[in-house]
Amino acid sequence: MIDLDFLFNPGQIAIVGASKSPQKIGYAIVDNIVKSGYRGEIYPINPKEEEIAGHKAYPSVAEINKPVDLAVISVPVKHTIQVAEECGKAGVKGLIVITAGFKEVGREGLKLEQELISICRRYGMRMLGPNCVGIMDTHTPVNASFANGFPNKGNISLISQSGAMLVSILDWSFEMGMGFSRFISTGNKADLTEIDLIESCAADPNTDVILCYIEDITDGERFVEVCSEASKKKPIVILKSGISSAGAQAASSHTGALAGSNRAYEAAFRQSGVLRAETLNELFDLARAFSSQPLPDQSRVAVVTNAGGPGILATDAIEKYDLKMARFNKNTIDKLRGNLPQEANIYNPVDIIGDARDDRYRFALQTVLEDDNVDGAVVILCPAAVTEPEKTAHTIVELNKKYSDKPVMAVYIGGRVLAEGKNYLSENKVPSFTFPEPSISSLEGMVRYSGFIKEKEPVQPVELEDINRETVRKTIDQVLEDRRVVLLGHETSTVMSAYGIPVSKTYLATTEEEACEIGSKLGYPVALKISSPRIAHKTDVGGVAIGLHSDKEVKRAYRQIMDSVGYYLPDAPIYGIEVQDMVDEGVEVIVGMSRDVQFGPLVVFGLGGIYVNLLEDVSFRLASALDNYEEVKEMITETKAYTLLQGYRGKKAADIDALADSILRTARLVRDFDEITEMDINPVRVHTKGSTALDVKITIEEKEK
Ligand code: ACO
């Protein structure tokens, strides 16, 4: 882990470009550092000034002649290279480069940014930015930024790729009454990236929750590695913007078209235990929940409400987010029945009805929190004339402290009349919401995270002893030598077999007679398929004939296929016709892979056939996660195809173990061979015993060895 003490706890800060003019950024930075209560040395650098903000000013970093941990650079872009060089020579440990005008403005800027990086490498300096707002740490404390204000002290770290987003969130946080430990603006991430900062925040004793706003991740593999460890220590919630389907549109395979970078991010976040927020609101709801409430043990939620409608909304949301309505034990039900009015609903949601005052809330909430079948509670309050929102807020806070192992969320539905109560709840660390759904979605995030960090039996990766890498290597090399990028049917069949993936037997025939010979050897019936690197959709050009029972039928089909393909695609190179055995019935699923630029091979599983892209009944995993059957099976169960495989409407169950084995082996194949860029096995036919890859498409590209 990189030591980022120079950034968050610097002993000395030089501000290059410090200014006495209040409208300048160089003024704001010095002002922020001073006002944050920073206790180290401050060295303003400005050739024209003797002193700035009561601190002696120096004409350059070189003239300080004392150690400097951090230099904040806020001079015009044309001076930054020279200033960075001076900092390096003076032994400065690290830089924050505020200045804009680098990579984000084009080629010239990129060149300057690369120069900055090489200066940092040369002198062993680390750099945040360029094009950033800076950092804040409320505990050390230091505010080395030009943001407008300093956050309230708290236990949340925010890492933002967008400076504008960071300053807006800062302003908003005051209104929300939220406290932060760190605010970090990563800017262009020329050196330090969100990965380094997540790692540092995970080790920061003052941070309990890590929030990120990111637009991209450039080192997917390291992201997964670092976040998998960091998220075991504290929750990481990421809002990822810029979800692009460009990659998906360009893809030629079913899998490629389904994948797209968003799926890869999903899979990577999931694998790393990172929670993804879809909106800013969700990001902060989760932050409030995690930073103030205990993690629930399981997902059983109790709802206490003074109004029926919102109680139903909460129940709906609990079902939508896959949580459970707690089923109270007998003692709880007896107590509720004995003490609540007759009109009340004593089962979950507990409706203490419209005339409930604080005492009724106290009784109901305490009773459900005492129940062992309850893991967390949502308290809903609507403002009737007799309701006591403030008093009830005190009660909720008190009971939340008393039952400190169960999270409580308050839903105060209303505005003006409830403001005081809501404030009290926020100030006392009970998340309050205006509507039920976000409170439940926050609880769901907590339940998911709680499941992720629970001690699990370590899963051993499956050793595959029976794979034959040599054969695959030879096949790929041969195809590349032929200057092709798509494997032919008999070649994919060889590749599958080499990795122990059961595949329909396929051989290439170049004459009618040869086709008959193969047919007899395989045993009739057989199928014939045109073999051409240019023809992806064989049926469309009359290139397929199935269920052929004799030499005579094979000969006739052979001629028909050749005639038809010749008619539709007279210029397509034809290698011959593939003869394939006919495969038993079964559930048809797809297994495939597309390679993501950031995260590498991404494996898909789902309902197969020609409607794959329409139905999108699919689940994704990074191939790196699919080295054990547990993960593969979980992937299978996430789809509707799983219901079919289990035996739908009286059908016999399909061999899910055999399918899982094929998925595991596919993941291994694409991990072993970088050359494979896309792959579709559509369909894999899953029989009652065993499975067969029926139609396999593999696309490759040359890699530097
Ligand atoms: N060494 C020391 N001091 C210097 C040097 C130097 N080499 N060169 C200039 N200075 C002094 C200047 O004399 C000036 O001081 P003065 O006010 O006493 O005259 C001060 O440093 C600043 O220099 P200016 O030329 O006045 O530059 P200015 O402050 O106008 O702009 C800045 C510099 C802010 C870095 C600008 O170039 C810039 O990049 N602005 C954009 C910043 C930004 O948006 N960053 C991304 C944030 S992310 C977001 O989206 C919010």
Side-chain angles (χ1 to χ4, degrees):
M1 189 174 70
I2 305 167
D3 179 2
L4 295 183
D5 247 20
F6 77 88
L7 202 58
F8 298 111
N9 194 14
Q12 315 80 23
I13 309 177
I15 305 94
V16 190
S19 173
K20 276 190 160 173
S21 312
Q23 67 276 19
K24 296 247 172 108
I25 284 183
Y27 174 92
I29 297 169
V30 179
D31 194 46
N32 275 341
I33 294 174
V34 172
K35 285 189 179 150
S36 66
Y38 171 68
R39 290 184 287 264
E41 298 296 325
I42 300 173
Y43 303 128
I45 311 293
N46 185 315
K48 296 185 300 194
E49 303 291 350
E50 296 284 311
E51 140 309 307
I52 291 175
H55 295 269
K56 176 178 164 20
Y58 296 83
S60 73
V61 175
E63 282 165 78
I64 300 173
N65 282 323
K66 280 183 246 168
V68 176
D69 277 347
L70 175 65
V72 185
I73 300 179
S74 176
V75 294
V77 70
K78 60 177 189 279
H79 299 308
T80 49
I81 299 298
Q82 184 210 334
V83 168
E85 185 79 38
E86 280 172 17
C87 289
K89 282 193 180 136
V92 173
K93 283 193 191 145
L95 310 177
I96 296 178
V97 182
I98 302 287
T99 311
F102 290 88
K103 184 174 78 177
E104 77 282 5
V105 299
R107 195 129 37 100
E108 282 306 303
L110 177 65
K111 258 170 70 187
L112 280 178
E113 190 163 309
Q114 282 161 345
E115 258 185 82
L116 266 187
I117 297 169
S118 64
I119 291 168
C120 287
R121 301 266 188 277
R122 200 172 327 130
Y123 293 103
M125 288 187 293
R126 301 309 305 239
M127 170 174 64
L128 187 71
N131 186 30
C132 73
V133 174
I135 63 103
M136 297 168 234
D137 188 315
T138 57
H139 292 265
T140 50
V142 59
N143 182 358
S145 80
F146 71 94
N148 186 8
F150 194 46
N152 295 323
K153 203 170 181 171
N155 57 354
I156 304 169
S157 276
L158 175 85
I159 300 163
S160 176
Q161 188 168 349
S162 151
M165 199 72 144
L166 181 125
V167 292
S168 303
I169 289 171
L170 172 64
D171 201 43
W172 192 40
S173 75
F174 298 122
E175 201 180 297
M176 301 288 288
M178 287 172 75
F180 286 82
S181 41
R182 289 173 173 180
F183 256 80
I184 307 155
S185 159
T186 58
N188 290 4
K189 308 192 287 186
D191 177 30
L192 295 172
T193 68
E194 65 286 323
I195 306 175
D196 306 309
L197 296 154
I198 287 172
E199 201 173 27
S200 163
C201 291
D204 173 29
N206 301 314
T207 296
D208 291 329
V209 188
I210 302 169
L211 304 187
C212 295
Y213 168 81
I214 55 167
E215 284 153 15
D216 64 348
I217 288 167
T218 36
D219 185 349
E221 208 175 303
R222 188 161 165 253
F223 174 86
V224 171
E225 190 187 307
V226 168
C227 288
S228 301
E229 284 310 308
S231 62
K232 283 182 200 146
K233 296 185 198 141
K234 38 195 91 164
I236 304 170
V237 189
I238 296 186
L239 177 62
K240 156 85 179 73
S241 70
I243 296 162
S244 151
S245 57
Q249 278 156 11
S252 62
S253 67
H254 284 296
T255 307
L258 284 166
S261 72
N262 192 35
R263 303 277 200 176
Y265 275 101
E266 289 279 3
F269 288 175
R270 189 181 185 291
Q271 189 173 328
S272 328
V274 165
L275 298 166
R276 182 172 192 173
E278 299 291 340
T279 61
L280 258 182
N281 271 327
E282 210 184 311
L283 184 77
F284 284 100
D285 287 347
L286 282 166
R288 286 191 299 150
F290 279 120
S291 64
S292 61
Q293 291 296 309
L295 288 178
D297 185 38
Q298 292 177 49
S299 62
R300 299 163 303 177
V301 185
V303 179
V304 175
T305 176
N306 68 345
I312 297 169
L313 285 178
T315 309
D316 288 348
I318 285 169
E319 188 174 320
K320 175 177 161 188
Y321 288 100
D322 246 354
L323 302 179
K324 293 195 180 80
M325 284 298 277
R327 290 169 69 96
F328 302 138
N329 64 35
K330 187 170 177 309
N331 187 30
T332 304
I333 293 187
D334 289 347
K335 248 170 117 175
L336 292 172
R337 183 180 287 125
N339 291 277
L340 290 178
Q342 240 188 349
E343 300 78 17
N345 182 36
I346 51 168
Y347 301 99
N348 205 7
V350 182
D351 187 349
I352 55 175
I353 63 176
D355 62 352
R357 289 181 180 273
D358 171 57
D359 57 341
R360 220 182 276 163
Y361 270 102
R362 174 179 288 277
F363 168 74
L365 183 57
Q366 172 146 4
T367 306
V368 298
L369 285 175
E370 269 170 5
D371 191 320
D372 288 343
N373 292 339
V374 171
D375 299 305
V378 174
V379 185
I380 301 173
L381 181 145
C382 297
V386 294
T387 318
E388 297 170 304
E390 267 181 79
K391 207 169 168 196
T392 304
H394 282 75
T395 299
I396 296 171
V397 168
E398 185 193 317
L399 293 176
N400 185 214
K401 285 193 182 126
K402 186 168 173 194
Y403 299 92
S404 59
D405 59 341
K406 297 184 182 183
V408 173
M409 308 278 164
V411 180
Y412 270 38
I413 306 180
R416 205 169 28 97
V417 194
L418 304 182
E420 283 300 309
K422 279 187 180 180
N423 282 345
Y424 184 81
L425 289 163
S426 301
E427 281 160 15
N428 290 279
K429 296 189 166 295
V430 173
S432 73
F433 301 83
T434 308
F435 300 107
E437 182 158 334
S439 71
I440 307 292
S441 115
S442 305
L443 265 179
E444 188 275 337
M446 297 185 90
V447 167
R448 201 153 23 106
Y449 180 69
S450 168
F452 175 77
I453 56 165
K454 269 193 188 138
E455 280 293 314
K456 294 182 197 111
E457 287 286 310
V459 181
Q460 291 305 323
V462 177
E463 296 290 336
L464 293 173
E465 309 274 331
D466 56 348
I467 53 173
N468 182 345
R469 292 175 72 124
E470 260 317 289
T471 301
V472 178
R473 162 73 30 237
K474 266 194 215 151
T475 310
I476 288 178
D477 286 349
Q478 183 59 54
V479 175
L480 290 172
E481 215 168 281
D482 289 356
R483 301 192 164 277
R484 282 186 286 125
V485 291
V486 179
L487 272 65
L488 298 172
H490 65 288
E491 292 161 341
T492 57
S493 180
T494 305
V495 169
M496 295 283 103
S497 300
Y499 263 63
I501 303 165
V503 61
S504 58
K505 292 190 188 73
T506 305
Y507 298 95
L508 183 68
T510 49
T511 62
E512 289 172 28
E513 289 69 30
E514 207 182 341
C516 291
E517 253 172 58
I518 297 169
S520 308
K521 218 183 322 164
L522 283 174
Y524 287 120
V526 294
L528 296 193
K529 293 178 182 174
I530 191 74
S531 175
S532 165
R534 290 261 189 88
I535 305 176
H537 302 292
K538 297 172 182 156
T539 318
D540 298 353
V541 292
V544 177
I546 58 168
L548 309 169
H549 285 83
S550 63
D551 284 3
K552 197 169 149 207
E553 285 181 19
V554 165
K555 278 188 182 164
R556 193 168 58 218
Y558 195 101
R559 259 171 267 144
Q560 273 172 356
I561 288 175
M562 283 301 189
D563 287 351
S564 175
V565 172
Y567 172 76
Y568 282 110
L569 296 168
D571 298 328
I574 306 297
Y575 284 62
I577 288 186
E578 284 155 358
V579 186
Q580 200 174 55
D581 58 353
M582 293 293 291
V583 174
D584 292 345
E585 288 302 302
V587 179
E588 296 202 341
V589 295
I590 181 172
V591 176
M593 182 280 299
S594 78
R595 213 165 268 278
D596 182 76
V597 270
Q598 270 96 18
F599 296 103
L602 183 68
V603 174
V604 66
F605 163 75
L607 203 56
I610 53 171
Y611 299 121
V612 168
N613 300 82
L614 176 71
L615 300 174
E616 287 210 16
D617 174 41
V618 282
S619 58
F620 286 85
R621 291 289 187 283
L622 299 184
S624 56
L626 293 176
D627 60 359
N628 62 81
Y629 291 115
E630 284 76 359
E631 193 68 36
V632 175
K633 287 201 176 152
E634 200 177 300
M635 183 186 189
I636 296 172
T637 56
E638 285 168 17
T639 61
K640 291 200 179 85
Y642 178 58
T643 314
L644 280 183
L645 289 163
Q646 283 175 306
Y648 189 61
R649 293 196 153 209
K651 285 250 167 70
K652 276 194 181 159
D655 191 343
I656 294 174
D657 286 347
L659 167 66
D661 191 58
S662 285
I663 297 176
L664 186 99
R665 286 169 186 273
T666 303
R668 173 69 189 269
L669 173 68
V670 298
R671 285 203 304 271
D672 284 354
F673 291 93
D674 279 2
E675 289 92 342
I676 302 179
T677 52
E678 279 186 61
M679 184 168 161
D680 264 352
I681 318 178
N682 186 22
V684 175
R685 208 173 264 179
V686 193
H687 319 296
T688 47
K689 189 148 183 38
S691 70
T692 314
L694 213 62
D695 208 340
V696 188
K697 187 175 170 206
I698 297 178
T699 311
I700 58 172
E701 69 180 13
E702 193 145 19
K703 288 276 162 210
E704 278 179 31
K705 288 182 186 153

